[in-house]
Amino acid sequence: MSSNALESSFKELIAEFNTIPYTQRGKVATYMLSLFQYTFDKDGKQSMSKDEIHKWLNKAIKHSKAE
């Protein structure tokens, strides 16, 4: 995904995130924070791409809406 398309898609995901109930937002945020611990390796180098972060944020939001 191009950088502009990815940025636009992240904005859409954040807008969608803001539509889910507050308690569900907490679950998504907690999940994403736990995922972010794997974003960088022990040397501080990024080990997870923006595309992967986008994929997991999207999955977390979709899952929270299904609950």
Side-chain angles (χ1 to χ4, degrees):
M1 190 178 297
S2 75
S3 181
N4 288 339
L6 187 60
E7 183 178 335
S8 177
S9 190
F10 266 117
K11 287 178 182 177
E12 290 172 11
L13 279 177
I14 297 303
E16 186 175 355
F17 173 80
N18 288 328
T19 67
I20 60 179
Y22 186 75
T23 55
Q24 294 304 100
R25 284 189 224 170
K27 290 178 182 180
V28 171
T30 300
Y31 173 78
M32 291 307 297
L33 286 172
S34 67
L35 183 65
F36 285 154
Q37 71 181 329
Y38 301 107
T39 303
F40 297 93
D41 66 15
K42 63 181 174 150
D43 298 322
K45 295 179 183 166
Q46 187 171 359
S47 61
M48 185 178 283
S49 70
K50 289 180 182 177
D51 284 324
E52 289 178 280
I53 293 170
H54 182 276
K55 175 183 81 173
W56 289 108
L57 177 57
N58 187 35
K59 284 185 177 194
I61 291 171
K62 299 296 183 223
H63 177 75
S64 72
K65 285 185 161 191
E67 287 186 345

